[in-house]
Amino acid sequence: MTTTDEPTTAGGRPLTTAESTGLERDALGPWGVFAQGLAAAAPSVAVAVVPFSLFVAAGKGAAWAAVIGLLIVVLVAITISFQAKRTVSSGSLGTYTGNGLGPGFAYAAGFSLLFGYIGFATTGTLGGVLYLDAFLESIGLGSQAVWFRLLLVLVVVGLAVYLPYRGVSVAARYELAFELLAIASILVIIVASYIGYGFRVDWEQWNPQHLGSSATFIAAVTAVGSYAGFESVASLGAEARNAHRNIARSLLRVVILLGVLYIFATYPQILHFGEIDGDKAVLPQLADSVGVAWVNQVVSAAVAVAFIVFVTAVTTAAARSLFTFAHEGALPQVFAKVHATYKTPWAGVVFVGVLALVFSTVATFSSAGRLVFDVYGGYVANWGFLVSYLLVVIATPIWLRKINALTPVRLAVSVAATIGLGYVIISNFYPVPEFPFNILPFVFGGILLIGLAWYWYLKRTRPEVARRIGSIQTLSEEEQQRLLNEGVTP
C-alpha cells in the first residue's frame, strides 16, 4: 500500500487515502487535536449537566456510575488507539469498525456515531440557551417571553455553525481557551460544595450495594456518554499533522483528564440535588445553595460559551462523518462539498445547525421543561456512542489479527472493553427500568433501523457503493513498511 492519491486494494476493497478528499491538510498540531477532543467531550458542559442526569437516573448511585463510565471509556480509548497508531481517516470509528467487520458494520458504527454527534449538537444548543438565559437574567436582561428564548436559540446556533464553517483551525483556537476558562469558574462552585458539606464522607454514595442496582448502570449510559466526543479526534485524520501519533496520544489524554474531573465534580454536586428546578440551569442553583452566588454571572457566561464551543466541536465531527459517507457515495453528494476558501465540509455543518435549531425550538415549547428535555434527548444520543464503541472494540482485535499485530495484552484490553460495554447495555434492559428510560433505548433502536434500511437499499441497488463504506483511510509509513516486510494485506 502507498499513500498516493491512487486507489489501492486492501482486503478486496478499493481504498482512498484520507489526504485526497479535499479537506485542509496539516491544519492542526498536537494541541489542536487535543483541543478538538476536549471541546467535543466538553468537560465544563458535562460538569454542568451530567451529574444531574446521573442523579435523575440513579440517585445516590450516580457516583458509582461515574466511576464505571471512566473505567469503560479508558478501555475503549486504548482499544481505538491500537488502530489510530496505524491508520487514520475522517470516518473515525466507522472506518475502524469496517476494518475488522466489513462495510455493513462500518455503516452501522458510522451512522450510530453520526446520530450521537447530531444529538449532542442539538441538546448542546439547548444547554447553551439555558446558560445564556441564566447569564442575561443575572444582569437584569432576562425574559420569560417565548420570542426571547427563540432569539437565544438563533444566537447559539448561529455562533456554533459559523466557527466550524470558517475552518477547523479557527474553531480549535477558541475551543481550548474557552473550555479552560469555563472549568476554572465551575471549580469555584465545586470547591464550595466540598467546603459547605464539611470534611466527612457521604458513605451512602459509595455503598457497594449501588453496584447491584440496574439504576446505576442505566446512569452509566450517560456516564459513558459524558466522554462521548473524545473519539472525535479520530475524525481529523486528513487534517492533523503527524496524525497517527497525535490522534492516538490525544485519545487517552483527553479521557484521563475528563475522568478525574468528572468524579471530583460529581460527588459534591449530588449532595445538593434535593431541590433543582428542571427548567433552569443547574450550576447557578447549586452556587446559590452553597453560598457562592457571587460567581453566578461568571459561571453562566463561561458555561454558555463552553456550550457553544461544545456544539462547534460536535458539529465539526458530525460534518466530517456526513462528508465521509457522501464521499463514499452512501449519502447525497452535497455533503461531500468542500468550501473553496476554508476547506471545510460546509453543507454538513449547515445541516447539523438546522437540526439543532429545530430541536431547540421544539424544546422551548415543551411542557416538560428545557432541562429535562435536554436530559432525555442526551440519553438517546448517548446510545449512538455506546453502539459505535461496542462495534469498534469488537472489530479492532479482528483487524489486528488479520495484519499480524494482535498481542495477548491488546486482546485482553479489547475483550474487557467489550464486556464492560455489553454489561452496561444489558443492564438497561433487565431488570426493566422505570419510564421513560424503559422506552428511550428503543427510540434509538428505531432510528438505527431506519439508517440500516438505507444501507440495505444501497447494498441491493448500488453494491459498489456499499462496498466502499469505510474505505477512506491512510496507513502510517511505519505500518506500511511492517506490512510490506511481513507480506500482509490489511
Side-chain angles (χ1 to χ4, degrees):
M1 169 171 285
T2 66
T3 56
T4 66
D5 289 347
E6 292 299 319
T8 58
T9 302
R13 291 196 299 156
L15 295 184
T16 302
T17 58
E19 297 91 345
S20 66
T21 55
L23 297 174
E24 185 179 4
R25 297 287 307 279
D26 296 331
L28 295 174
W31 279 108
V33 174
F34 177 80
Q36 165 63 26
L38 189 68
S44 60
V45 169
V47 170
V49 174
V50 170
F52 182 69
S53 300
L54 300 183
F55 184 77
V56 169
K60 285 294 186 79
W64 276 117
V67 173
I68 293 168
L70 172 60
L71 295 176
I72 291 174
V73 177
V74 165
L75 292 171
V76 172
I78 294 173
T79 303
I80 296 171
S81 72
F82 294 154
Q83 289 212 52
K85 292 175 182 177
R86 293 170 170 80
T87 186
V88 293
S89 168
S90 59
S92 188
L93 303 193
T95 300
Y96 291 162
T97 297
N99 285 342
L101 298 175
F105 285 98
Y107 179 88
F111 180 85
S112 297
L113 195 63
L114 174 61
F115 174 80
Y117 287 141
I118 292 176
F120 273 13
T122 55
T123 57
T125 297
L126 187 56
V129 169
L130 284 170
Y131 275 89
L132 183 57
D133 194 5
F135 168 70
L136 293 175
E137 184 176 342
S138 71
I139 61 174
L141 297 178
S143 172
Q144 297 303 311
V146 172
W147 70 264
F148 183 79
R149 293 183 172 188
L150 293 177
L151 177 61
L152 296 184
V153 171
L154 288 172
V155 170
V156 173
V157 171
L159 290 173
V161 167
Y162 174 74
L163 287 174
Y165 178 87
R166 277 294 310 273
V168 66
S169 59
V170 174
R173 284 198 295 270
Y174 290 100
E175 286 168 358
L176 188 57
F178 283 119
E179 190 60 41
L180 294 177
L181 175 63
I183 292 172
S185 62
I186 290 171
L187 286 179
V188 173
I189 299 175
I190 300 304
V191 171
S193 298
Y194 276 102
I195 295 174
Y197 183 71
F199 296 97
R200 63 188 191 275
V201 178
D202 179 21
W203 292 109
E204 185 180 352
Q205 287 195 57
W206 301 112
N207 190 329
Q209 290 183 351
H210 291 303
L211 294 175
S213 170
S214 62
T216 301
F217 289 91
I218 291 170
V221 173
T222 298
V224 171
S226 68
Y227 297 85
F230 83 92
E231 79 299 317
S232 68
V233 301
S235 69
L236 301 175
E239 297 161 282
R241 294 193 295 273
N242 298 318
H244 302 89
R245 181 182 65 185
N246 289 331
I247 288 174
R249 288 180 177 178
S250 293
L251 286 167
L252 194 55
R253 288 174 179 173
V254 171
V255 167
I256 295 298
L257 176 63
L258 296 178
V260 173
L261 179 62
Y262 290 166
I263 293 173
F264 177 75
T266 297
Y267 166 77
Q269 288 196 66
I270 292 171
L271 300 172
H272 303 276
F273 276 161
E275 297 180 0
I276 291 291
D277 186 336
D279 195 44
K280 294 183 178 180
V282 171
L283 289 179
Q285 298 181 70
L286 185 60
D288 291 340
S289 67
V290 299
V292 290
W294 56 268
V295 80
N296 273 344
Q297 289 186 7
V298 176
V299 168
S300 296
V303 175
V305 173
F307 263 105
I308 294 172
V309 167
F310 166 59
V311 178
T312 294
V314 292
T315 298
T316 294
R320 277 144 188 79
S321 294
L322 290 167
F323 171 84
T324 302
F325 273 139
H327 209 281
E328 292 167 344
L331 287 179
Q333 285 301 298
V334 64
F335 293 118
K337 291 183 178 296
V338 174
H339 196 281
T341 302
Y342 305 132
K343 303 297 182 183
T344 56
W346 63 269
V349 171
V350 173
F351 175 72
V352 175
V354 170
L355 293 180
L357 180 64
V358 171
F359 178 87
S360 297
T361 300
V362 171
T364 299
F365 289 99
S366 169
S367 61
R370 290 174 295 174
L371 181 58
V372 174
F373 204 92
D374 199 32
V375 169
Y376 293 153
Y379 179 81
V380 175
N382 283 331
W383 277 93
F385 293 98
L386 274 178
V387 169
S388 61
Y389 291 167
L390 180 63
L391 290 175
V392 78
V393 296
I394 292 173
T396 295
I398 296 174
W399 185 66
L400 292 177
R401 189 175 186 279
K402 288 180 181 179
I403 62 173
N404 292 344
L406 183 63
T407 65
V409 171
R410 290 168 185 159
L411 177 62
V413 170
S414 301
V415 169
T418 302
I419 293 173
L421 285 168
Y423 189 70
V424 167
I425 290 173
I426 291 172
S427 297
N428 278 266
F429 293 97
Y430 182 82
V432 178
E434 296 181 0
F435 179 86
F437 294 101
N438 60 331
I439 65 170
L440 292 179
F442 295 101
V443 173
F444 169 75
I447 294 170
L448 179 59
L449 283 177
I450 292 173
L452 292 177
W454 174 249
Y455 173 77
W456 291 328
Y457 171 78
L458 287 176
K459 192 171 182 180
R460 288 186 59 187
T461 61
R462 302 178 64 191
E464 73 286 354
V465 170
R467 284 194 299 269
R468 280 203 303 269
I469 295 174
S471 62
I472 298 177
Q473 56 185 303
T474 301
L475 291 175
S476 68
E477 293 181 2
E478 294 82 0
E479 187 64 14
Q480 291 180 58
Q481 188 60 51
R482 187 188 70 83
L483 295 176
L484 183 63
N485 293 340
E486 296 189 16
V488 177
T489 299

